[in-house]
């Protein structure tokens, strides 16, 4: 069974030969550059140029030598660009570590040591303060605006960190991305994950500021609908192009929208069903009509148990990262309530307390327990709960993959 066959079997709720594994297949299953540097050293591998493909989250490309050792089953479209030297330019982390970042990103250092990223108009949209690990958003275009039509939406998004600080395969056109996907398909038997985005809640939070947009959901739903209609129209235009050129050559299309917090959803199921579900359903219906072979995945952090029935009904095939330490998100509950209806892409190892602070034995026991709970009948892709962060011990990361190999056979 090939890696691709393994992934697709599990996503369609069949038991493959072993549990499929994701590590770096999308932007929430990867590893921060500091942890990646430590992991390479722990594995006895030579120093890497350290390609940071997601500058905001400081995520490193997982190179072939690490992939060959850990043997994940998924690759992320665009990360193969680390093999094109002209795509990158040198930069330094605050601690002096030399890294490579995408050359199209306009980044500068302030006199006080802060790093800032500017858009094409020179606006500072993002900041990594001195001695901090990640970038934060600086500009919220509709924060103090009375805008009602949102005719300038795409222009406004140029000032939003999460919209304009792009990751590979940006800034290539859809046609060029399609050719890249075709070449990647010919070079690997791993399943290919193509990230699309297509968020609805988060772009509102990024544009209005989070507190403002959440209040708008209740105070002025008509205004929210106007915003979402313009946003959906933009997504649909881009999705049509994505599906035409990239869709035939990949296996999973990735959407993203954080709908949950630690204790429950960020909105009631009623609000989700009124404002968001019909729009997700329209996008996901287009995927199934245009590229029926594609499996639809959504990144969605937090406690979303109350929203999962509607997400499933809208057409979602799998969800990541399965944040099992949130309310109502215990693996046993999720498998009992939704097993067979949606695949769980994640929840394989608790990053909050086990992978980050435990011992290798703790990691082994956590992985074993979660596989025993989630893997039965398929519908499970193993990944840790979100990214491996900067200070996670490399011995724990290796212990996680050893445990999957030990306990993941059907």
């Amino acid at each position: 069974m090939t890696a691709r066959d393994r992934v697709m079997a599990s996503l369609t709720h069949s038991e493959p030969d072993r549990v499929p594994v994701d590590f770096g297949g999308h932007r929430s299953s990867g590893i921060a550059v500091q942890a990646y540097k430590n992991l390479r050293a722990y594995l006895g591998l030579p120093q890497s140029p350290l390609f940071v493909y997601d500058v905001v989250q400081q995520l490193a490309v997982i190179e072939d030598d690490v992939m060959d050792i850990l043997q994940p089953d998924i690759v992320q479209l665009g990360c193969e660009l680390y093999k094109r030297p002209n795509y990158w330019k040198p930069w330094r982390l605050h601690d002096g570590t030399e890294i490579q970042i995408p050359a199209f990103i306009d980044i500068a250092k302030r006199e006080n040591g802060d790093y800032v990223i500017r858009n094409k108009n020179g606006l500072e949209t993002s900041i990594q303060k001195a001695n901090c690990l990640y970038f934060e958003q600086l500009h919220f275009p509709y924060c103090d605006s009375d805008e009602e039509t949102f005719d300038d939406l795409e222009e406004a998004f140029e000032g939003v960190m999460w919209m304009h600080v792009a990751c590979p395969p940006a800034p290539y056109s859809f046609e060029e991305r399609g050719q890249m996907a075709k070449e990647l398909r010919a070079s690997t038997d791993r399943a290919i994950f193509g990230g699309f985005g297509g968020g609805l809640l988060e772009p509102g939070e990024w544009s209005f500021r989070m507190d403002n947009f959440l209040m708008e959901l209740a105070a002025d739903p008509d205004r929210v609908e106007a915003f979402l209609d313009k946003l959906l129209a933009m997504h649909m235009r881009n999705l049509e192009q994505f599906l035409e050129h990239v869709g035939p050559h990949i296996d999973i299309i990735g959407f993203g929208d954080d709908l949950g917090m630690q204790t429950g959803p960020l909105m009631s199921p009623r609000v989700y069903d009124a404002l968001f579900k019909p729009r997700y359903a329209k996008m996901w219906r287009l995927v199934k009509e245009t590229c029926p072979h594609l499996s639809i995945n959504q990144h969605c952090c937090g406690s979303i148990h109350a929203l999962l029935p509607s997400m499933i009904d809208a057409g979602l095939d799998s969800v990541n990262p399965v944040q099992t330490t949130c309310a109502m998100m215990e693996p046993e509950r999720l498998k009992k309530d939704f097993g067979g209806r949606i695949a769980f892409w994640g929840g394989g190892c608790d990053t909050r307390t086990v992978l980050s602070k435990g011992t290798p034995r703790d990691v082994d026991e956590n992985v074993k327990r979660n596989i025993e709970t989630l893997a039965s009948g398929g519908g499970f892709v193993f990944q840790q709960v979100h990214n491996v962060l900067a200070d996670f011990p490399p011995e724990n990361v290796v212990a996680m993959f050893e445990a999957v190999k030990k306990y993941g056979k059907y």
Side-chain angles (χ1 to χ4, degrees):
M1 180 171 271
T2 67
R4 181 190 184 198
D5 292 339
R6 185 174 299 120
V7 173
M8 302 315 291
S10 195
L11 290 176
T12 52
H13 302 277
S14 298
E15 291 187 354
D17 57 340
R18 63 170 176 81
V19 170
V21 178
D22 175 25
F23 186 46
H26 57 88
R27 291 167 65 188
S28 301
S29 67
I31 183 168
V33 62
Q34 297 91 344
Y36 181 68
K37 180 182 177 182
N38 295 337
L39 176 63
R40 290 187 62 88
Y42 185 80
L43 292 172
L45 297 172
Q47 290 186 357
S48 161
L50 300 176
F51 300 94
V52 174
Y53 78 95
D54 184 326
V55 175
V56 171
Q57 298 185 90
Q58 299 280 280
L59 299 179
V61 173
I62 302 172
E63 296 151 288
D64 285 349
D65 52 359
V66 176
M67 298 280 278
D68 289 342
I69 293 172
L70 301 181
Q71 287 294 302
D73 296 293
I74 298 105
V75 293
Q76 180 177 182
L77 178 64
C79 282
E80 71 278 8
L81 284 169
Y82 85 87
K83 299 174 184 178
R84 299 189 187 183
N86 62 352
Y87 187 83
W88 305 90
K89 66 181 179 183
W91 191 250
R92 287 179 183 268
L93 301 178
H94 285 301
D95 66 3
T97 302
E98 295 182 353
I99 64 172
Q100 300 286 314
I101 63 173
F104 62 85
I105 293 178
D106 183 3
I107 189 170
K109 185 176 182 179
R110 289 177 173 173
E111 290 185 3
N112 66 356
D114 296 345
Y115 296 155
V116 291
I117 298 176
R118 300 173 296 212
N119 70 4
K120 63 183 180 181
N121 299 318
L123 175 69
E124 293 183 351
T125 66
S126 327
I127 186 169
Q128 184 187 33
K129 296 179 181 179
N131 301 316
C132 290
L133 292 174
Y134 311 109
F135 278 84
E136 302 172 63
Q137 186 169 326
L138 285 174
H139 182 67
F140 302 85
Y142 297 134
C143 181
D144 297 312
S145 168
D146 295 324
E147 178 63 43
E148 296 287 345
T149 65
F150 304 102
D151 292 331
D152 65 340
L153 184 66
E154 294 192 46
E155 180 182 352
F157 280 164
E158 286 295 325
V160 172
M161 176 183 73
W162 290 101
M163 303 296 281
H164 91 88
V165 185
C167 296
Y172 291 105
S173 68
F174 287 116
E175 291 86 349
E176 291 168 320
R177 297 181 196 198
Q179 182 60 36
M180 291 166 57
K182 184 177 181 180
E183 293 171 1
L184 182 59
R185 164 63 68 228
S187 70
T188 184
D189 69 357
R190 291 185 167 107
I192 301 175
F193 189 107
F196 174 72
L200 297 174
L201 177 69
E202 285 186 315
E205 295 169 340
W206 303 331
S207 300
F208 291 73
R209 206 177 61 198
M210 186 175 185
D211 53 344
N212 291 330
F213 194 65
L214 293 179
M215 287 190 288
E216 289 286 305
L217 296 181
D220 197 348
D222 290 341
R223 188 178 185 221
V224 172
E225 294 244 33
F227 172 82
L228 291 176
D229 285 342
K230 287 288 170 61
L231 177 60
L232 179 62
M234 183 190 80
H235 284 335
M236 293 295 286
R237 290 193 301 271
N238 290 332
L239 184 56
E240 288 172 0
Q241 292 289 304
F242 184 96
L243 294 172
E244 177 184 354
H245 297 288
V246 180
H249 311 296
I250 65 174
D251 304 294
I252 304 106
I253 180 171
F255 291 77
D257 223 1
D258 286 340
L259 305 176
M261 52 187 172
Q262 189 70 28
T263 57
L266 283 162
M267 68 198 74
S268 69
R270 178 185 60 81
V271 171
Y272 177 87
D273 288 349
L275 296 176
F276 297 98
K277 178 182 175 181
R279 294 173 171 88
Y280 289 123
K282 187 173 182 179
M283 288 188 283
W284 297 343
R285 188 163 54 247
L286 179 65
V287 173
K288 292 302 184 183
E289 291 172 351
T290 307
C291 294
H293 71 283
L294 286 179
S295 185
I296 301 171
N297 177 270
Q298 185 173 36
H299 168 74
C300 193
C301 285
S303 173
I304 55 170
H305 184 279
L307 302 182
L308 279 172
S310 290
M311 296 166 72
I312 294 167
D313 188 55
L316 188 61
D317 295 315
S318 63
V319 63
N320 79 71
V322 193
Q323 199 167 343
T324 54
T325 55
C326 293
M328 303 289 289
M329 294 291 287
E330 304 90 342
E332 296 80 6
R333 185 193 302 271
L334 292 173
K335 193 69 173 180
K336 176 179 178 293
D337 292 348
F338 304 110
R341 300 174 60 197
I342 193 169
F344 298 110
W345 188 310
C349 185
D350 167 29
T351 47
R352 189 176 73 176
T353 58
V354 178
L355 196 63
S356 56
K357 302 173 184 177
T359 65
R361 181 175 179 178
D362 295 330
V363 171
D364 182 273
E365 292 173 352
N366 187 250
V367 170
K368 180 177 186 290
R369 183 166 58 252
N370 290 332
I371 288 177
E372 288 175 346
T373 302
L374 292 169
S376 176
F380 178 51
V381 176
F382 182 95
Q383 71 156 81
Q384 72 282 350
V385 180
H386 222 294
N387 295 315
V388 174
L389 299 183
D391 59 350
F392 284 24
E395 59 269 27
N396 282 2
V397 178
V398 172
M400 177 176 70
F401 286 99
E402 290 176 345
V404 179
K405 185 176 180 180
K406 186 184 346 180
Y407 303 119
K409 294 180 182 179
Y410 280 98

